[in-house]
Amino acid sequence: MSRLWLVLGCLAGLLAVGLSAWSAHGLEAGAAARVASALTMQGWHALALLAVGLLAERRPGWAIPAAGTCFTLGMLGFCGALWVGALTGGPAPLAPLGGTLLMLGWLMLGVAVLQRPQAARDAA
């Protein structure tokens, strides 16, 4: 499972860089400004998915996969909605749900870090 989060983090980072370059050179200024937040969030959450992947093998349990799932769905909802809104000129109705999932992902990551690793629980 850790490889999945690492690959998703790498893909999200790759897309963030590529879309950032494209938006700077291929979008009009108004649309580029609307996607700046999406690109920032996608870049940060690509790194968060890498952290999830690195922690997945050391911290088994429900919280790490929950964090990765929230980060992935949150990026799709938040960043995707902002991209679609910028390209179509329309609203981004899924952005609040996506943003909430991103915040929930950080909460789940914090819970995972606070949980005692299995080896420590077995020794106690």
Side-chain angles (χ1 to χ4, degrees):
M1 191 69 164
S2 63
R3 283 185 173 181
L4 171 66
W5 304 125
L6 292 169
V7 168
L8 288 174
C10 291
L11 289 175
L14 170 75
L15 286 172
V17 173
L19 291 172
S20 181
W22 181 71
S23 72
H25 300 287
L27 292 178
E28 61 183 53
R34 289 184 71 186
V35 299
S37 180
L39 291 168
T40 300
M41 288 296 111
Q42 186 171 336
W44 280 111
H45 290 89
L47 295 174
L49 280 171
L50 293 177
V52 166
L54 293 173
L55 287 171
E57 290 186 19
R58 293 188 176 111
R59 303 258 181 192
W62 61 271
I64 288 290
T69 301
C70 287
F71 288 145
T72 302
L73 294 177
M75 278 193 296
L76 289 172
F78 182 79
C79 302
L82 291 181
W83 270 100
V84 169
L87 294 174
T88 64
L94 289 180
L97 176 61
T100 301
L101 285 169
L102 292 174
M103 290 186 291
L104 186 58
W106 285 108
L107 178 64
M108 292 298 100
L109 189 58
V111 167
V113 171
L114 289 174
Q115 289 178 332
R116 288 175 41 186
Q118 185 67 39
R121 286 194 300 255
D122 291 343

